[in-house]
Amino acid sequence: MNYNSRDEVKNLKTKFCNEIENLFKLGETIEFNTPFTVYIQEENTYDASYVKVPYIVKTMTDGQYLTGTTHYGDEFDDISTYDLEDIVEVAYILDTIGDKQYKILQDETN
């Protein structure tokens, strides 16, 4: 039996992202009741190594795009749930939404 757990985890993460995206309409923005941190691997400009950079997530738009601030206070709005490398972070978002731990800020679908 050829078993590849990495592929299974990747497929499950994509399934979770699709579930999150399907729960919301395009143009809908939600704010999470409690901000949380996700980590994105980025290239270190000094030595071409990679580091995990923390981002504090506060809102989500279109069921996919995370927005918030870095730990330095800079705003971001270009991280997708599909960009997250850790399935636990995606599962946390899905659980938070399932527990209704958010409020709708904007609905541009009407």
Side-chain angles (χ1 to χ4, degrees):
M1 180 168 128
N2 189 0
Y3 178 75
N4 189 339
S5 61
R6 284 183 191 254
D7 284 342
E8 280 199 31
V9 170
K10 182 179 176 183
N11 291 339
L12 187 58
K13 182 183 80 87
T14 301
K15 179 183 175 203
F16 288 170
C17 289
N18 290 339
E19 286 181 35
I20 293 167
E21 188 173 4
N22 290 332
L23 290 171
F24 299 96
K25 300 177 251 177
L26 287 177
E28 198 168 50
T29 300
I30 65 167
E31 178 180 55
F32 295 101
N33 293 353
T34 305
F36 56 92
T37 303
V38 297
Y39 295 87
I40 302 292
Q41 186 169 310
E42 296 181 359
E43 188 173 354
N44 183 343
T45 56
Y46 297 107
D47 63 5
S49 65
Y50 285 91
V51 295
K52 292 223 176 212
V53 178
Y55 290 87
I56 303 168
V57 175
K58 298 176 182 176
T59 62
M60 181 174 65
T61 303
D62 298 336
Q64 178 182 166
Y65 298 103
L66 306 174
T67 60
T69 59
T70 66
H71 282 276
Y72 302 110
D74 299 322
E75 293 185 356
F76 69 89
D77 63 359
D78 58 349
I79 295 176
S80 167
T81 54
Y82 295 93
D83 295 334
L84 301 177
E85 297 170 16
D86 190 342
I87 190 172
V88 174
E89 294 172 340
V90 178
Y92 176 81
I93 294 169
L94 188 58
D95 283 346
T96 300
I97 291 167
D99 291 342
K100 306 281 188 216
Q101 297 297 311
Y102 67 91
K103 64 181 174 185
I104 296 177
L105 292 181
Q106 181 178 345
D107 185 352
E108 295 180 355
T109 61
N110 296 331

